[in-house]
Amino acid sequence: MTQNSHLILAPYACSDATSRGQLHNENPPSHRTLYQRDRDRIIHSAAFRRLEYKTQVFVNHEGDLFRTRLTHSIEVAQIGRSIARELQLNEDLTEAIALSHDLGHTPFGHAGQTALNKCMKEYGGFEHNLQSLRIVDSLEERYADFKGINLTFESREGILKHCSVKNAKLLGELGQRFLNNTQPSLEAQLTNLADEIAYSNHDIDDGLRYGLLSFDEMMEATLFRQQYEYVVKKYPDQNKRILTHEIIRRMISHMVVDLIENSKKNILSANPQSPDDVRNHDKPLIAFSDELQQQATELKQFMFKTLYRHYRVHRMSIKASQTITALFDVFIKDLRILPPEAQQHCRSLFEKEGDNGNIRGVADYIAGMTDRFAIVEYERIFNPRQLSMINLIP
Ligand code: MG
């Protein structure tokens, strides 16, 4: 057992004692753990503040109550930490991974990422997990001694949820697990599922509130129907708002409890004695029971069919895709219309990587935009009404 953050950690939890360290050598922090310091660095990064104005599913300015990437990340941290504490895993590391897992998202959610990936097809593609890693490893500029925010291996391992074999080969130690088919830490595994629990539930909440989903439609999804039947029976006279919250909090709780109980069973039977035992196990130990996994898959499929393909969401996706593609095309044709810092960034990548470096620099610039900045930048470049001196004011 290792003492960390005044909590007793299980031997298979990540801890300062077993950390594989950072990219650049630094003195260990004196009044906090390595993972607390990672978490603190993430919170103070510019990329983290941008999450407030980035789309989760609905464009940020469409309604004040919609989840954004920031509130989504905070919900993932909340769910992740509860699970971590119950399993005696490292809560600070879980929080660091949760708060940084979406840093690399483009503006306009998945539509933005798909569009940018298409634009980058000839130049190595664009993948938001890899972009999150790029942000913490090099794009954040806050320290005199190194680029990036120099997180620990364990936080970086958690950020890199997926990776192609081609890209994994370029990532050294961090890419190994995608080549050898090994597992990440339990903290990374659980944050991945906390992400799924968070978005499945908050997207239902957003969808119901804004009338894009109805209770009737939702009956198709077992996880929802079970809780709906219980809640309606218990509170027959309650209004829809309260019923929705009662159903969703029970759904979250049901999924979390299943995950904790099933993972405890898996851990007990695999009996890992260190984080490396976890990594070398043939499959993830943090997992839903088979029954719940099936219901969670059913829910995801239902959400794809209804909410994510709803015509109002789809319209937003088409507009987002046009905006990203137009910006990309115009920037790569003439880098001189980029702001000076972005030009400088392209130049430094060009020196290292040639023409592809320039283009990667454009992708970094676009990916770093918030929704509203992308819209304003599009207007500035393409709206002829903006052909005035006002464009000279930064
Ligand atoms: Mg997420």
Side-chain angles (χ1 to χ4, degrees), residues 4-34:
N4 217 2
S5 269
H6 313 293
L7 289 172
I8 302 293
L9 296 178
Y12 42 79
C14 289
S15 65
D16 286 21
T18 57
S19 174
R20 294 193 186 177
Q22 300 157 274
L23 283 179
H24 311 280
N25 280 334
E26 271 187 276
N27 289 331
S30 55
H31 295 89
R32 44 186 180 165
T33 67
L34 283 173

Side-chain angles (χ1 to χ4, degrees), residues 56 69 72-73 76 98 101-103 105 110 128 161 191-192 194-196 198-199 202:
Q56 178 65 23
R69 288 265 165 225
H72 161 70
S73 302
V76 176
H101 84 285
D102 273 352
L103 289 181
H105 264 289
H110 282 279
H128 70 87
K161 203 160 64 175
T191 311
N192 188 11
D195 183 23
E196 181 177 333
Y199 73 69
H202 65 49

